[in-house]
Amino acid sequence: MKEILDAIQSPDSTSADFAALTVPDAYRAVTVHKDETEMFTDLPGREKDPRASLHIDEVPVPPLGPGEALVAVMASSVNYNSVWTALFEPLPTFGFLERYGKLSELARRHDLPYHVIGSDLAGVVLRTGPGVNAWRPGDEVVAHCLSVELESSDGHNDTMLDPEQRIWGFETNFGGLAELALVKSNQLMPKAPHLSWEEAAAPGLVNSTAYRQLVSRNGAGMKQGDNVLIWGASGGLGSYATQFALAGGANPVCVVSSDRKAEICRRMGAEAVIDRTAEDYRFWSDEHHQDPREWKRFGKRIRELTGGEDVDIVFEHPGRETFGASVYVTRKGGTVVTCASTSGYTHEYDNRYLWMSLKRIIGSHFANYREAWEANRLVAKGRIHPTLSKVYALEDTGQAAYDVHRNLHQGKVGVLALAPREGLGVRDEELRARHLDAINLFRDAPAERTDQHRRDAPAERTDQHRRDAPAERTDQHRRDAPAERTDQHRRDAPAERTDQHRGSAT
């Protein structure tokens, strides 16, 4: 790895130099283990601790297939799908890997007793497989997380509709929270030259998701002048929705959970901000019943901030906790566009407010390659900025995931992989200087912590939880492909969700 890092840091390295580098046999990666999927059984969601389930293991480098690229990962970041993976909620991800492994001989590589997770990266191409022409060793890249096979006609109008669409590092193996990563070449995009490695790795999944959900005609199709209600507007996903609304001439109505998060939204340029904690909105009177009076109070507050107008679009991702209110406050003919459901997947709303007011609910999931490319292009032009608030070392990914799980973070939480320190990888200092305040906006924000939550290096963190290269890593855990597979591939319907998963809405 030292030779690879030296080549990346040298300004004189050529594509031929990178092609001549020796790829190691193994690399360090953040993993979950198949034999530990029952470790949180019967625990409430908030008591499950990703620091116990996430490991640092040395794993074999997977063989490179046609249309693929092997990338040296300088930095990555934590998304909520990594939290779900670490908590084995709503189901362990090994079911995804098993089903993928039945698709083809090449896909068998993914069905392993360990799962290398992570759906973001910024790094450098080391190798490309047969059929890859657009990318060469030495190219500085970021990767979006859409993995598709495109053998069906269904995916050729919108690749998100491909029957074999998967999220890399969540429904596939060899993800980005590692020193090396295996991606399809059509996941690659140019790294923004004015950003450091960790800054460039942060937008990825959430930036592309927010673009499709809010801007694209596959989502809400936002236009100038729209009032857009954004839940968790300072969080990993909502912070990009807020930026897209502002950049597109819309009026974001930002909903947050503290005065500090409200201040971040104002610093981004938003004027209409609702602190749901300070104003004490309680949309549920108990576990089973919602309170429509709170919906009405919430709607009245929105109209106070918009000059008497209801919202045209609701950017929904908390799910169960907020969905009834979201449907209610949307204007007649307006749109609720939804993804994620971090507070629960079972949504309840009064259909009279949808049907009789001609409102629409649109489901939105990640983004196709074109949408991801456009979202990344806006980052590269300095129109949309990373919302990175804190960066951890690879071996502390468990703590980073814990922060996201417990909603202790602002914006995005980054992870250094091969990068030895923060701040490396900047190629365009002039562009960076013009946007430095915006790039650092979330860095300057005070952390949302109490003494109880101030556990960056908790005393109970044991060697078992911080295994850099565990001795007990057996051959079973290092198998490239389990021996027995069937050829029949059945893509199951989306996993049934339960109310057991109730994450925090930012």
Side-chain angles (χ1 to χ4, degrees):
M1 289 299 178
K2 184 179 184 304
E3 290 182 358
I4 293 173
L5 183 58
D6 288 345
I8 293 172
Q9 293 184 294
S10 171
D12 301 320
S13 295
T14 65
S15 180
D17 294 330
F18 281 98
L21 290 171
T22 300
V23 175
D25 295 328
Y27 64 102
R28 293 195 316 147
V30 178
T31 67
V32 291
H33 296 174
K34 192 172 187 177
D35 59 6
E36 294 182 347
T37 57
E38 302 296 322
M39 69 187 304
F40 297 131
T41 300
D42 298 329
L43 280 178
R46 282 184 64 80
E47 293 182 17
K48 298 177 183 180
D49 192 337
R51 294 172 297 187
S53 59
L54 293 178
H55 307 281
I56 298 291
D57 289 329
E58 189 170 293
V59 301
V61 175
L64 191 62
E68 295 180 339
L70 185 69
V71 179
V73 182
M74 295 299 280
S76 184
S77 71
V78 173
N79 295 291
Y80 216 94
N81 67 3
S82 293
V83 176
W84 287 329
T85 302
L87 304 182
F88 308 111
E89 288 188 352
L91 294 170
T93 52
F94 292 98
F96 300 140
L97 306 185
E98 290 167 6
R99 287 193 288 274
Y100 190 25
K102 295 174 182 177
L103 180 63
S104 68
E105 187 67 29
L106 194 63
R108 283 190 185 187
R109 298 167 300 163
H110 292 262
D111 187 3
L112 296 166
Y114 59 88
H115 186 183
V116 179
I117 70 170
S119 298
D120 283 327
L121 70 73
V124 177
V125 175
L126 290 181
R127 295 286 188 274
T128 57
V132 177
N133 303 305
W135 305 97
R136 300 188 305 163
D139 286 344
E140 297 187 350
V141 296
V142 293
H144 70 79
C145 64
L146 174 61
S147 174
V148 289
E149 305 302 318
L150 288 182
E151 292 187 300
S152 167
S153 63
D154 292 347
H156 282 264
N157 189 36
D158 176 7
T159 50
M160 284 302 299
L161 299 180
D162 188 83
E164 301 298 337
Q165 171 268 319
R166 294 174 176 84
I167 298 300
W168 161 71
F170 179 61
E171 296 168 296
T172 76
N173 219 322
F174 316 123
L177 284 164
E179 294 175 331
L180 300 177
L182 183 71
V183 299
K184 295 182 184 295
S185 64
N186 59 11
Q187 291 178 239
L188 297 176
M189 303 181 293
K191 171 189 170 291
H194 67 293
L195 299 180
S196 67
W197 295 113
E198 65 278 4
E199 292 163 353
L205 184 152
V206 287
N207 185 44
S208 299
T209 299
Y211 182 92
R212 180 183 176 104
Q213 192 172 352
L214 192 57
V215 179
S216 169
R217 58 188 172 189
N218 289 316
M222 182 191 73
K223 65 183 185 303
Q224 287 185 338
D226 278 347
N227 293 308
V228 182
L229 181 69
I230 301 172
W231 293 101
S234 71
L237 183 59
S239 58
Y240 289 93
T242 300
Q243 291 186 73
F244 281 125
L246 291 166
N251 173 39
V253 180
C254 298
V255 185
V256 293
S257 60
S258 73
D259 57 346
R260 290 175 178 174
K261 293 179 178 181
E263 180 58 27
I264 289 175
C265 292
R266 293 187 183 99
R267 290 171 65 188
M268 280 194 285
E271 296 179 359
V273 182
I274 297 174
D275 181 345
R276 62 180 176 85
T277 302
E279 300 188 30
D280 197 26
Y281 290 105
R282 300 173 183 265
F283 300 127
W284 290 78
S285 53
D286 58 45
E287 187 176 351
H288 303 290
H289 300 92
Q290 297 188 67
D291 187 350
R293 294 172 300 180
E294 287 292 272
W295 301 347
K296 294 177 182 179
R297 185 166 73 93
F298 186 55
K300 180 181 178 182
R301 179 68 178 125
I302 290 170
R303 288 190 292 275
E304 290 173 354
L305 295 171
T306 60
E309 298 177 340
D310 292 324
V311 292
D312 301 275
I313 299 168
V314 177
F315 186 86
E316 243 291 345
H317 56 98
R320 179 175 175 81
E321 181 183 338
T322 59
F323 202 83
S326 293
V327 170
Y328 178 82
V329 301
T330 306
R331 66 169 293 178
K332 190 170 186 175
T335 300
V336 178
V337 60
T338 178
C339 74
S341 298
T342 53
S343 70
Y345 305 103
T346 304
H347 298 184
E348 297 181 22
Y349 61 91
D350 189 329
N351 195 48
R352 293 172 297 175
Y353 298 115
L354 183 79
W355 133 58
M356 296 182 71
S357 294
L358 307 171
K359 302 175 185 181
R360 297 184 303 156
I361 296 174
I362 297 176
S364 184
H365 184 37
F366 188 59
N368 61 39
Y369 194 10
R370 183 62 187 176
E371 290 162 338
W373 190 280
E374 287 299 313
N376 184 66
R377 175 174 169 268
L378 291 171
V379 173
K381 287 181 171 292
R383 300 294 303 276
I384 301 295
H385 306 289
T387 60
L388 189 67
S389 60
K390 190 167 185 178
V391 179
Y392 286 89
L394 190 67
E395 55 268 25
D396 292 323
T397 301
Q399 182 64 41
Y402 177 87
D403 282 4
V404 175
H405 174 44
R406 298 303 297 268
N407 198 27
L408 305 178
H409 67 304
Q410 316 273 13
K412 284 297 293 288
V413 176
V415 175
L416 296 181
L418 284 175
R421 62 184 183 277
E422 298 177 40
L424 301 175
V426 176
R427 311 302 181 208
D428 188 339
E429 294 285 0
E430 182 181 352
L431 181 60
R432 182 178 181 83
R434 294 209 302 267
H435 298 292
L436 192 59
D437 288 345
I439 292 169
N440 288 328
L441 191 152
F442 279 69
R443 296 281 204 150
D444 297 336
E448 193 78 10
R449 297 194 181 276
T450 66
D451 289 338
Q452 179 184 359
H453 291 150
R454 202 177 287 273
R455 295 192 288 170
D456 284 353
E460 68 268 27
R461 187 75 168 158
T462 66
D463 288 340
Q464 180 184 1
H465 292 154
R466 297 175 61 107
R467 294 180 290 173
D468 283 353
E472 66 268 30
R473 189 76 170 157
T474 65
D475 288 341
Q476 180 185 5
H477 286 152
R478 298 174 61 104
R479 291 180 296 175
D480 283 343
E484 296 183 3
R485 298 280 182 262
T486 62
D487 292 332
Q488 183 179 10
H489 172 71
R490 297 196 176 201
R491 183 74 170 151
D492 289 357
E496 183 176 352
R497 310 301 194 186
T498 69
D499 288 341
Q500 181 183 5
H501 175 68
R502 288 173 169 268
S504 297
T506 303

